Amino acid sequence: MKIFNIRVGEPLGAALERAELVMTDIEEGKEPQQYFGASFQTMAQLSKVFSPTRWALLEFLKDHGPMSIYKLAKDTDRNYSNVHGDVKTLVEWGVIEKDEDNNIMVPWDKIVVAWPILKDAA
């Protein structure tokens, strides 16, 4: 199962621990477990990249399979240039990819969003 992980407010130590596990696997001659994802300091930063409109595009692509940007814009009843910009951003963040026919697609079985629960400052 291919998972794309989105983390918000993850401590640097957690990312370093993942890197250390990969390095240990490599040193021991093991195949390291692949990890795909993006991290954000705050929910506001996450929201700038993953806006509700972009989430809707991801859901539509996941449900309908690979297609051209033109078809995606037409099928979602959105302006082509706006969809093109959203697709460009999502490709840059690695959430969608282009296939061998140059169609865009969601290559992930699951996208997981996680952030730590804030504790009371009492």
Side-chain angles (χ1 to χ4, degrees), residues 32-66:
Q33 183 178 3
Q34 292 184 328
Y35 178 87
F36 303 96
S39 293
F40 299 90
Q41 288 274 4
T42 65
M43 284 299 292
Q45 290 174 336
L46 170 74
S47 297
K48 286 182 181 179
V49 174
F50 292 96
S51 66
T53 341
R54 290 178 183 156
W55 278 118
L57 287 180
L58 283 170
E59 289 172 358
F60 191 89
L61 273 174
K62 187 68 176 161
D63 291 343
H64 294 88

Side-chain angles (χ1 to χ4, degrees), residues 18 33 35 52 68 73 76 82 87 93 95 106 109 116:
R18 276 195 309 276
Q33 183 178 3
Y35 178 87
S68 68
T76 57
N82 292 339
V87 164
W93 281 90
V95 183
V106 178
D109 299 310

Side-chain angles (χ1 to χ4, degrees), residues 1-8 35-38 46 55 108-115:
M1 176 177 286
K2 287 180 70 175
I3 299 172
F4 190 87
N5 297 279
I6 299 173
R7 307 276 188 229
V8 180
Y35 178 87
F36 303 96
L46 170 74
W55 278 118
W108 312 106
D109 299 310
K110 188 178 355 179
I111 297 175
V112 176
V113 180
W115 64 91

Side-chain angles (χ1 to χ4, degrees), residues 17-30:
E17 284 177 24
R18 276 195 309 276
E20 184 178 353
L21 289 173
V22 168
M23 296 303 288
T24 300
D25 285 347
I26 291 170
E27 288 173 354
E28 294 175 358
K30 298 178 190 173

Side-chain angles (χ1 to χ4, degrees), residues 75-120:
D75 289 357
T76 57
D77 197 30
R78 290 192 51 212
N79 177 281
Y80 174 84
S81 62
N82 292 339
V83 172
H84 185 273
D86 287 342
V87 164
K88 181 179 179 207
T89 298
L90 293 171
V91 167
E92 288 171 354
W93 281 90
V95 183
I96 61 177
E97 296 177 353
K98 291 187 178 184
D99 67 12
E100 58 278 348
D101 296 322
N102 212 28
N103 288 319
I104 53 170
M105 59 177 262
V106 178
W108 312 106
D109 299 310
K110 188 178 355 179
I111 297 175
V112 176
V113 180
W115 64 91
I117 297 174
L118 301 175
K119 296 182 181 180
D120 290 335

